[in-house]
């Protein structure tokens, strides 16, 4: 199964609302900080990335986790997860059991650890261990993950733009045909207190 090009995914979404395919995406920059154009292709790109982020945050495909990631405080005694593109953390070792999550800037970048127990983003100088989920773009995912994301994005985009009940039913059937392909790879349960949409503040319960 070959990887799905981003342009092909967007054109599948456009087809669901009876829009002719485009020859180029309408966005600038790079993941995770795309700037989307105002065209319908730009809108489709935004939805595609929203669905991608939902899947990545839940670790549904178990392809973006480091179980034991060592990180050392920076000069400001912060734990900065930018290098690994962290989007979710779970403290281990000396910090295990503490309510520590990530905060992001206004663009959704620069993830840094925040201790919700103490209300601080600074830590005693040293090296700590976390389980970390890291960001991946649509293009970096495996073909099976891409196929399911496209099916969901098509459904979401059609519902947002048209909301045609007959087309909804057709798209839902297509999605159901795609989903079982990945069933065996899904984790048994969604971690507590982790929202589906990528948050500006992620807490660890």
């Amino acid at each position: 199964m070959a990887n799905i090009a981003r342009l092909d995914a967007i054109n599948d979404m456009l087809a669901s609302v009876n829009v002719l395919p485009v020859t180029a995406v309408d966005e600038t920059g790079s993941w995770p900080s795309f700037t989307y154009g105002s065209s319908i292709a730009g809108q489709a790109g935004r939805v595609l990335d929203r669905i991608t982020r939902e899947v990545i945050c839940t670790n549904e495909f178990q392809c973006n986790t480091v179980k034991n990631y060592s990180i050392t405080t920076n000069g400001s005694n912060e734990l900065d997860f930018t290098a690994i593109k962290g989007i979710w953390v779970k403290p281990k070792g000396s910090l295990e059991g503490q309510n520590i999550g990530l905060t992001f800037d206004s663009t959704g970048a620069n993830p840094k650890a925040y201790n919700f127990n103490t209300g601080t983003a600074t830590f005693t100088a040293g090296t700590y261990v976390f389980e970390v989920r890291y960001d991946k773009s649509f293009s970096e995912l495996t073909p099976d993950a891409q196929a399911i994301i496209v099916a969901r994005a098509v459904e979401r985009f059609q519902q947002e733009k048209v909301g045609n009940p007959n087309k909804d039913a057709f798209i839902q059937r297509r999605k159901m045909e795609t989903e079982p392909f990945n069933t065996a790879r899904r984790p048994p349960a969604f971690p507590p207190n982790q929202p589906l949409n990528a948050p500006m503040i992620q807490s660890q319960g």
Side-chain angles (χ1 to χ4, degrees), residues 6 10 26-39 41-50:
R6 183 176 179 84
I10 288 174
D26 184 14
E27 58 208 20
T28 57
S30 59
W31 179 268
S33 300
F34 281 127
T35 298
Y36 304 96
S38 59
S39 70
Q43 296 170 41
R46 185 189 300 274
V47 171
L48 178 66
D49 289 337
R50 190 162 70 237

Side-chain angles (χ1 to χ4, degrees), residues 39-204:
S39 70
I40 193 165
Q43 296 170 41
R46 185 189 300 274
V47 171
L48 178 66
D49 289 337
R50 190 162 70 237
I51 300 297
T52 299
R53 180 61 64 81
E54 289 176 4
V55 167
I56 288 298
C57 281
T58 61
N59 193 32
E60 184 171 346
F61 297 95
Q62 304 180 48
C63 63
N64 63 312
T65 298
V66 177
K67 292 292 186 180
N68 295 288
Y69 181 77
S70 295
I71 184 170
T72 301
T73 51
N74 61 19
S76 301
N77 285 341
E78 299 170 323
L79 295 174
D80 190 335
F81 288 83
T82 300
I84 194 175
K85 299 180 181 179
I87 56 173
W88 179 96
V89 296
K90 180 180 180 181
K92 306 179 85 170
S94 62
L95 295 177
E96 187 168 3
Q98 296 196 41
N99 188 15
I100 297 175
L102 294 178
T103 60
F104 304 81
D105 65 19
S106 59
T107 68
N110 298 316
K112 294 179 181 178
Y114 186 87
N115 191 324
F116 291 90
N117 289 337
T118 61
T120 181
T122 58
F123 297 80
T124 302
T127 299
Y128 299 91
V129 178
F130 288 80
E131 178 179 338
V132 180
R133 294 178 190 165
Y134 57 91
D135 211 358
K136 277 189 173 184
S137 69
F138 175 80
S139 300
E140 294 174 311
L141 294 171
T142 56
D144 57 336
Q146 288 180 329
I148 291 178
I149 287 171
V150 170
R152 295 179 186 175
V154 165
E155 180 182 44
R156 180 84 59 86
F157 194 64
Q158 195 280 140
Q159 289 173 343
E160 289 183 1
K161 296 300 177 184
V162 181
N164 183 301
N166 291 330
K167 184 160 283 190
D168 281 349
F170 172 74
I171 290 172
Q172 179 66 22
R173 284 197 300 272
R174 285 188 59 190
K175 190 181 77 167
M176 291 175 65
E177 291 169 357
T178 305
E179 295 277 357
F181 185 73
N182 187 57
T183 300
R185 298 181 59 182
R186 295 182 190 169
F190 183 71
N193 299 331
Q194 299 301 307
L196 286 176
N197 290 313
M200 297 310 294
I201 296 180
Q202 168 261 312
S203 65
Q204 174 62 42

